[in-house]
Structure formats: C-alpha cells, structure tokens
Amino acid sequence: MTNLPLKGIRVADFTWIGAGSFTTKLLADFGADVIKIESRERLDSLRLSRPFKDGVSGVNRSGYFADRNTSKRSITLNLKHDKGQELARQLIATSDVVANNFTPGTMEKFGLCYDAVRQIKADIVYLAMSMQGATGPHHRYLGYGLTIGALTGLQFLSGLPDREPAGTGTNYPDHIPNPCHAAFATLAALRHRRRTGEGQFIDVAQTEPTVALLGPAVVHHAVNGELSTRSGNQRLPAFPHGVFPCAGEDSWIAIAVHSDAMWGALLGVLGGPAWLREPALSRQDGRVARCTEIDAAIAIETRSWDAQALMDSLQSVGVAAGVVRNAADIVCSDPQLQYRGHWVYLDHAEMGSAIYNAPPFRMSQSGATPVSAAPLLGEHTDDVCREILSLSSVEIETLRCVGALT
C-alpha cells in the first residue's frame, strides 16, 4: 500500500505493554516504519499475556500483543551493552520519532534521554508517556491502567451505588484516552516540524488524558461543590437509562430515554401497565421520582422480547437502544462492523491466520487495514541492521556474539 499518509516516517519505538504499543500501532497502520526495539532479557509483558492462539502459550502467540503491534518490525537489542546503545543511536539518527512509555529516568540509564537524542537528531520528535509526566512530586511513580484509573477518579465512579469501586473491567486508560492523545500529539509535532524544522519533546502524563474523561464529575464539583458517586448505568436526569433483560439466557438491551417524547415512543412499543401513562410520568422529573417502580415495570415488559427485535423496534421510533453484545456477537454477527470491514485476518508467521482490528476510522484516499501482522520477537533484526544500519552479515554476527544483539 503506497498511499498511506505516514509513509516515509520512521519511529524508533521503545514502548511496551498497552498504551505505548497502541500509540505506535496507530502510526504503523497508517504507513510509518515503526521499529519496535525489544529485549530477550526483559520481554514486553504483552508477549506473555492471554489470550494465546489455540491456548498454547509462547512469546509469539499472544493475541493481545498481536493486536497492539500490527504493521511493526521487531529488533532485539541489549541496551545494557555499549554496542547495543550505539546501535540504538544509529537507528535514532535515521528516525523521525522516538517513543517510550517508561518511568522517567529509564531512558537516561541507556543514554537516550531527550537531550542526548537531540544531539543525535536535532529535529527529532521525542514522545515520553509515563504515568505522571516527566516532572512533579509523583513523576517517578510506577503505574499501569488499573492504577491510572484509580488515581484519576475513573475507578471511583465505576460501579453500582453502595458497592465498592468496580472499575471498567479492563485497563481502559491503556486502550482509549492515552494512546489516542499521544498519537495526536505526535502528529501535531510532526506537522510543526514540517513547517518550522523544529523538533519537540512531548511529555504525556497518562493520568491527564484519563482525567479528561471525567468532565461532568469535575465540573459538578467545581461549580456545585458536590461529589459525584457511583450510579451504575443511570445517568440522571435522563430516565429510564439502564440495561434490561430480554428473552433468552443472559440476553439484555440498553435503553436511554433523554426526552419526554422518547418516553412516549418507548411506551408505544413496550405497552405495559396503565399507570405508566399517568400524566405525572410524562415529565422527566416525575419519572425520576418513581425510578425504582418504573425500572421494574420496564424489565417485566422487555423479558418477552428478543433483544435484536426490540432494538430494531425502538430505534425505528427514535428511542436510543442497543443490544448488549458479547465478543462472539461482535466478531461473527454485527452487521455494521462487517459492512465497514472492521475485522481483518492477517497471516502471522507462527499463529497463522489471526483476527485484528482495522483502524477505527476510514480515510477516503488511504487504505484502512493493518499493513502486516505483528512481528515475531526479533524477526527483523538482521533486516534492519542491513537496510538501515548498513551492517554486513559478518558485523551482525559479531554483534550477536558479543551480546549487543540478542
């Protein structure tokens, strides 16, 4: 694919685990030559994370790792070795972006902090995305998606009233706010460099994009001095607003009524006892006052419906509704995702044909699928050494023998 928008951009990718790897995946899938620098001594944790293809574990069999590292090349360097560090510097000299998501101080140990890298490539775009940023009293704290969610208040707001914080069931900050903000910042810095010739140091504190998700709770406290608490699926003053049972085992539908007109349309489809049509309940405040009764009555009506049929019926009259899908539904039977070609299958060198997400947006003049499957550990070490670093086979073998290449 020759028309990808980031073709010609090279990224020296020191990131690992979730948010960093997803950031550089977004760049790689749109044409950047992302070279993932790995170590056999300290593996990227995602390589050891479930699910494994066919249930067989292995450093090249993680579906989690594979989905976060499409379209990249992998080399294995020993950054504790002087010659390994020299190879990293040579690679950086040919790169446009250097990316890492280590705790501050880690890249300094390798002699690859921003000031040192800028001496190698003056116009480099240097992305650092630690948990709390490069400065401040907590900048050296270690963190992952779970702890970021806790520190930012996301964990506190997730769950049911009068229950312990439940969280989002996944490392949500790693998947949405942090990689997207980091990728946007990188693209902005590349545009600035193209216009001015100047590089940038991008300091992403992963707590801050996650805080941006909590706008209503922050504003509610700032303006009203009140603390938002866990409310499950309810989002007052919208009501009803929740998940209701449907016919069949573990079958559910989400319904969100944001206006009095929607309430009338909902009753037109569901029917239900006459008291639901009392004048007081035609207004949102009246429904909220009797929310427990109304939720129970709606649940009785939805139990007799097939979830898909009910969603179609409600959508047809302007009521926001969605089937609660599981993974099998999403992969095998979601007509919208299938129409848009969201799922792609790529041939992986060890796992064979495996499923991947396409980029979650489409561009009219560019392809919309990953360029290649995730790399094997160190799969492209020799290729990168020959093509980019201009090393001979003898030199490569020598570096491998002395432990600079692993």
Side-chain angles (χ1 to χ4, degrees):
M1 303 177 73
T2 60
N3 63 336
L4 294 173
L6 294 180
K7 186 175 176 60
I9 297 295
R10 178 169 294 143
V11 180
D13 181 12
F14 293 86
T15 68
W16 66 334
I17 314 180
S21 294
F22 200 0
T23 300
T24 51
K25 165 194 166 68
L26 293 172
L27 306 178
D29 283 347
F30 277 90
D33 181 17
V34 175
I35 300 173
K36 186 174 180 68
I37 294 99
E38 300 194 74
S39 168
R40 294 184 186 275
E41 301 301 318
R42 189 174 185 186
L43 291 172
D44 185 333
S45 301
L46 286 195
R47 284 195 176 275
L48 304 176
S49 297
R50 296 181 177 89
F52 296 110
K53 180 68 181 297
D54 301 323
V56 178
S57 62
V59 298
N60 296 313
R61 303 187 65 84
S62 167
Y64 195 169
F65 176 90
D67 193 66
R68 291 295 180 265
N69 289 280
T70 51
S71 310
K72 301 180 185 180
R73 298 199 279 176
S74 169
I75 67 171
T76 46
L77 295 181
N78 180 2
L79 291 176
K80 295 180 180 180
H81 195 291
D82 289 344
K83 292 188 180 297
Q85 293 177 13
E86 177 57 31
L87 291 172
R89 288 191 287 269
Q90 291 177 34
L91 179 59
I92 287 168
T94 73
S95 299
D96 304 284
V97 178
V98 170
N100 83 86
N101 60 329
F102 299 132
T103 303
T106 302
M107 290 293 277
E108 283 81 352
K109 294 177 183 177
F110 303 139
L112 298 175
C113 65
Y114 175 58
D115 287 339
V117 167
R118 190 168 50 172
Q119 297 302 311
I120 302 168
K121 187 81 180 292
D123 64 347
I124 199 74
V125 172
Y126 190 101
L127 171 65
M129 45 188 304
S130 59
M131 181 172 76
Q132 298 267 44
T135 58
H138 297 163
H139 77 283
R140 290 190 181 275
Y141 282 11
L142 175 66
Y144 297 91
L146 178 67
T147 48
I148 293 170
L151 286 170
T152 58
L154 180 64
Q155 196 88 5
F156 179 79
L157 290 173
S158 300
L160 296 171
D162 304 318
R163 296 286 298 274
E164 69 276 9
T168 57
T170 184
N171 293 327
Y172 189 80
D174 287 351
H175 306 312
I176 305 296
N178 295 331
C180 291
H181 279 76
F184 298 158
T186 301
L187 294 175
L190 287 170
R191 182 177 186 274
H192 176 82
R193 190 188 70 163
R194 188 180 70 228
R195 295 172 63 214
T196 68
E198 299 173 347
Q200 294 275 358
F201 174 68
I202 303 171
D203 176 22
V204 176
Q206 290 195 45
T207 50
E208 293 174 20
T210 310
V211 166
L213 296 172
L214 278 70
V218 171
V219 171
H220 186 49
H221 181 266
V223 173
N224 302 316
E226 296 180 3
L227 190 64
S228 299
T229 57
R230 291 178 290 286
S231 58
N233 290 313
Q234 290 192 357
R235 291 296 179 271
L236 297 177
F239 187 83
H241 191 288
V243 173
F244 301 91
C246 291
E249 183 179 355
D250 204 19
S251 181
W252 306 83
I253 189 169
I255 300 173
V257 172
H258 283 265
S259 70
D260 296 338
M262 275 192 189
W263 170 248
L266 175 67
L267 293 182
V269 172
L270 285 182
W275 64 265
L276 288 175
R277 291 166 177 78
E278 292 176 5
L281 301 186
S282 67
R283 299 188 308 275
Q284 206 164 41
D285 57 348
R287 295 193 297 276
V288 170
R290 298 176 66 180
C291 60
T292 302
E293 296 173 79
I294 293 173
D295 271 346
I298 291 174
I300 291 172
E301 301 304 319
T302 60
R303 284 183 187 277
S304 63
W305 281 82
D306 171 78
Q308 182 68 45
L310 181 54
M311 181 181 82
D312 293 341
S313 296
L314 291 176
Q315 288 282 0
S316 70
V317 296
V319 178
V323 173
V324 178
R325 300 198 191 281
N326 58 34
D329 298 330
I330 294 169
V331 172
C332 301
S333 59
D334 186 297
Q336 186 68 16
L337 291 177
Q338 290 178 356
Y339 179 86
R340 287 176 57 83
H342 180 79
W343 302 113
V344 295
Y345 287 83
L346 300 171
D347 288 327
H348 184 273
E350 184 170 325
M351 292 189 288
S353 180
I355 191 170
Y356 294 86
N357 289 281
F361 43 84
R362 305 292 182 266
M363 300 176 70
S364 62
Q365 302 301 315
S366 303
T369 61
V371 177
S372 60
L376 304 179
L377 179 63
E379 179 179 354
H380 303 98
T381 299
D382 287 14
D383 291 343
V384 170
C385 286
R386 291 192 187 97
E387 296 169 13
I388 298 176
L389 305 182
S390 300
L391 298 176
S392 68
S393 296
V394 173
E395 290 171 318
I396 293 170
E397 187 58 31
T398 300
L399 289 166
R400 190 167 276 123
C401 288
V402 300
L405 295 173
T406 61

